Amino acid sequence: MPQRLGIIGHPIGHSISPLFQQVALDAIGFDGAYEAWDVAPDGVGEFVAGLRAPGILGINVTVPHKEAVIPFLDEVDDWASTAGAVNTIVNRDGRLTGHNTDGIGFLRALRDGAGFDPRGRDVLVLGAGGSARGVVYALARAGIAQLFIANRTLERAERLASIAIDSGVAAEAMVLSDAPGATREVSLIVNCTSMGMVHGPDEDGSPLSAADIPSTVLVNDLVYNPLETPLLREAARAGAATLGGIQMLVYQGAASFEMWTGHDAPVAVMLEAATAAMRARS
């Protein structure tokens, strides 16, 4: 009987995780079935309890359940504790551990997807929400030199800068409109806002224009729908290197895959499937 895996959210129909995770399982000949479950908020506890059953290796967790699952787990790792969110649950003989692979996936996408090592670099992060917090923690662990955080509201940027400083990284907070002034000082720009996201509040917007972006930087937009966001188009116009959000999505999924199966994830296969799925939806 196939080992069971999957993803929970509410709603869940938008997720492409089942597409690239199942392709990955099949590619290595692993007898597993990856499903999608739409779980209402009031059903999270009961569903998580059911994950302790034999034959269930674990699940991914997406919105709005990343925080809600935590009280029902036996343990969470440092990444999840710092982020305050779980995106991966692993079942080991009925014991459930919570993980957050966003930071791991982000760093692997930079290094393997773009050939970029953040150690010793200066970085500008746009946004100060949940995804930005995971990114900042990952960058701190990777040993960056200096961090600039730009957000619509200065207070949230300052709170995130404090987290970075506590992790030993020099950090400066600013409002988003002041971000162009920091771009000339950095090697990497990471967009953690929802600007440019399909069906988002600012679908056609970009936090920076081509004139704001040096040709020497790498611009990483965590938005993966669409594959080419307005920010990535502006970066390309500026002659800068670009990295789309589909890379981080797949690499964080690959980290989950390896936790569940104990096998190296076939990342190239996963990227191809995920990219094809997004193109089919565009």
Side-chain angles (χ1 to χ4, degrees), residues 12-270:
I12 197 61
H14 65 284
S15 176
I16 63 171
S17 291
L19 298 173
F20 68 78
Q21 292 285 16
Q22 189 62 56
V23 164
L25 293 167
D26 296 342
I28 68 166
F30 190 91
D31 189 14
Y34 190 102
E35 307 169 55
W37 293 290
D38 191 323
V39 177
D42 60 1
V44 168
E46 181 180 359
F47 186 91
V48 172
L51 297 177
R52 299 179 186 276
I56 300 178
L57 293 182
I59 61 168
N60 286 128
V61 183
T62 190
V63 292
H65 302 323
K66 290 186 175 185
E67 297 177 10
V69 298
I70 294 176
F72 305 104
L73 305 176
D74 299 303
E75 183 182 354
V76 296
D77 70 5
D78 288 343
W79 290 96
S81 179
T82 299
V86 163
N87 76 343
T88 303
I89 298 174
V90 177
N91 176 23
R92 291 286 184 266
D93 299 320
R95 180 175 176 79
L96 301 180
T97 57
H99 307 266
N100 191 303
T101 63
D102 286 340
I104 299 167
F106 168 70
L107 293 177
R108 286 182 64 179
L110 286 181
R111 289 170 172 151
D112 298 349
F116 183 92
D117 185 352
R119 182 172 297 277
R121 306 291 191 100
D122 294 345
V123 182
L124 169 62
V125 171
L126 306 173
S131 61
R133 182 169 179 160
V135 162
V136 166
Y137 181 55
L139 289 169
R141 289 187 61 156
I144 65 168
Q146 187 171 10
L147 179 67
F148 300 91
I149 302 169
N151 191 58
R152 282 196 175 98
T153 57
L154 182 60
E155 183 181 2
R156 292 191 72 177
E158 289 174 336
R159 286 202 299 267
L160 188 52
S162 296
I163 293 173
I165 292 168
D166 289 344
S167 299
V169 175
E172 180 180 336
M174 65 189 70
V175 293
L176 194 59
S177 59
D178 288 341
T183 60
R184 307 292 162 183
E185 302 184 45
V186 302
S187 301
L188 172 67
I189 299 170
V190 186
N191 179 38
C192 300
T193 77
S194 62
M195 291 183 72
M197 183 173 63
V198 170
H199 306 310
D202 193 0
E203 185 171 341
D204 298 319
S206 172
L208 297 170
S209 69
D212 302 325
I213 302 171
S215 61
T216 53
V217 305
L218 170 65
V219 177
N220 182 194
D221 196 340
L222 300 193
V223 173
Y224 64 86
N225 186 15
L227 290 172
E228 185 183 44
T229 64
L231 174 60
L232 293 182
R233 287 197 296 272
E234 293 296 309
R237 284 179 55 206
T242 62
L243 183 67
I246 198 74
Q247 297 269 347
M248 177 177 164
L249 175 69
V250 167
Y251 276 104
Q252 62 83 24
S256 301
F257 181 97
E258 291 167 358
M259 290 178 184
W260 297 321
T261 68
H263 295 276
D264 291 340
V267 174
V269 171
M270 298 169 83

